[in-house]
Amino acid sequence: MSAMLLTQQVLNGLLDGVYYLLIALGLSLIFSLGGIVNLAHGAFYAIGAYLTLVLSPYVGFGGSFVAAPVAVALLGMVIERTLFRRFYRADPILSLLMTFGLAMVAEQLLRMIFGAAPLSYSIPPWLRGQVALGSFIYSFYRVVLIGIAATCIAGLWLLLNKTAFGRVVRAGVQNPDMVGALGISLQPYMSAVAALGIGLAGLAGVLLAPIYSIHPAMGQEIITPAFVVVVIGGLGSFWGVVAAALLVGLVKGVMVGIGYSAASTAAIYLLMLLVLLFRPRGLFGERITRFE
């Protein structure tokens, strides 16, 4: 296999890592602050993709890029206030069962509304084309997607590390009882974190709609790799999740590039197993007081 084709497959693998990252960051935030194991996170990704189909005829892809994640974020805020809030102090297994049921309900609703057959969405004409670096050619839309994801990561890091909101969230992750003792209620922060994390999942659905087929079970396909990324990166670690997503994407891309595409998914699970054997907290996992 030529070096150029291997490079292309590695870049495609890193692209997979990028959209795993958009899902995994929200998963990690919601679990770290609220203790909610959100198995329904993939369903919000699917909803974002379907909203792209619904909204694009009226507002175009650019409008859907803004409106769909905002709509998914608002839906996430409603879900947080009506369902998640009941399980913050409960055993995490209860939230896991609740979100599993929520994921099944969402999938069946999508199947009832849009049908079971896969749907497609074409890349907008203004985002088509190729980027040439010497003799290497890569999709312009995929380059834009990576750029948008990098911007989201940078913006989220700044929000969590350079603002008063972020300081309260990070303190709430480490020691919520101390935050409560200072007279700060974490409930509005949890609503904001749920909206932010679920909105990122919706954004991933919008961005991936022109690349992959849109179908009701697409959320189930992405949620497992996203959990793998969270486990490898480590609970409570922003950069751990980022590094794990890129590592998972790299491993997957290399496996495809060297001709073992059928084993590429198994390889990322093997990677998770090795990390758990030698570092159970994950690559950059932090000590979270209330989970120990």
Side-chain angles (χ1 to χ4, degrees):
M1 178 173 290
S2 69
M4 187 179 300
L5 187 56
L6 177 60
T7 302
Q8 187 172 32
Q9 292 300 334
V10 168
L11 284 175
N12 286 338
L14 289 174
L15 181 66
D16 287 347
V18 163
Y19 74 81
Y20 293 157
L21 176 58
L22 291 175
I23 306 293
L25 280 174
L27 275 174
S28 182
L29 276 173
I30 292 170
F31 181 71
S32 297
L33 187 60
I36 300 293
V37 183
N38 186 15
L39 291 181
H41 211 69
F44 296 107
Y45 158 78
I47 291 170
Y50 275 105
L51 282 177
T52 306
L53 285 176
V54 172
L55 296 174
S56 289
Y58 304 99
V59 296
F61 182 74
S64 299
F65 173 78
V66 176
V70 170
V72 174
L74 292 175
L75 176 61
M77 189 175 290
V78 171
I79 294 295
E80 187 276 331
R81 292 189 175 185
T82 56
L83 294 177
F84 289 1
R85 194 165 288 185
R86 301 170 184 267
F87 294 89
Y88 289 152
R89 298 290 182 177
D91 188 327
I93 193 66
L94 297 177
S95 66
L96 186 148
L97 293 172
M98 180 271 293
T99 56
F100 176 75
L102 181 62
M104 295 298 99
V105 169
E107 181 179 330
Q108 293 305 317
L109 284 175
L110 290 174
R111 186 171 281 110
M112 289 169 59
I113 296 169
F114 297 100
L119 303 175
S120 61
Y121 182 84
S122 299
I123 296 175
W126 53 283
L127 288 173
R128 294 175 188 170
Q130 308 291 329
V131 173
L133 298 173
S135 58
F136 180 75
I137 298 175
Y138 199 62
S139 165
F140 175 67
Y141 180 73
R142 291 172 185 254
V143 172
V144 170
L145 194 157
I146 293 173
I148 292 172
T151 302
C152 290
I153 294 165
L156 186 58
W157 183 85
L158 289 172
L159 177 67
L160 292 176
N161 289 275
K162 301 297 182 181
T163 66
F165 171 85
R167 285 191 290 272
V168 173
V169 169
R170 286 186 288 116
V173 168
Q174 289 293 334
N175 198 327
D177 293 332
M178 181 62 71
V179 174
L182 294 173
I184 300 173
S185 172
L186 283 176
Q187 284 195 352
Y189 290 91
M190 192 60 234
S191 294
V193 164
L196 185 63
I198 290 171
L200 282 175
L203 176 63
V206 175
L207 294 175
L208 273 297
I211 298 180
Y212 298 104
S213 63
I214 302 170
H215 57 92
M218 63 189 295
Q220 298 300 317
E221 294 176 356
I222 198 173
I223 192 66
T224 304
F227 268 112
V228 168
V229 167
V230 173
V231 170
I232 292 174
L235 178 63
S237 174
F238 179 90
W239 290 115
V241 173
V242 173
L246 296 179
L247 181 59
V248 164
L250 180 63
V251 168
K252 188 174 181 181
V254 169
M255 292 296 291
V256 173
I258 62 177
Y260 293 97
S261 57
S264 61
T265 302
I268 67 175
Y269 297 133
L270 177 60
L271 175 64
M272 179 182 70
L273 176 62
L274 292 173
V275 170
L276 288 176
L277 283 174
F278 294 102
R279 188 167 174 80
R281 283 186 184 173
L283 295 177
F284 301 96
E286 300 177 3
R287 183 174 181 270
I288 308 298
T289 303
R290 66 204 183 105
F291 295 130
E292 298 188 357

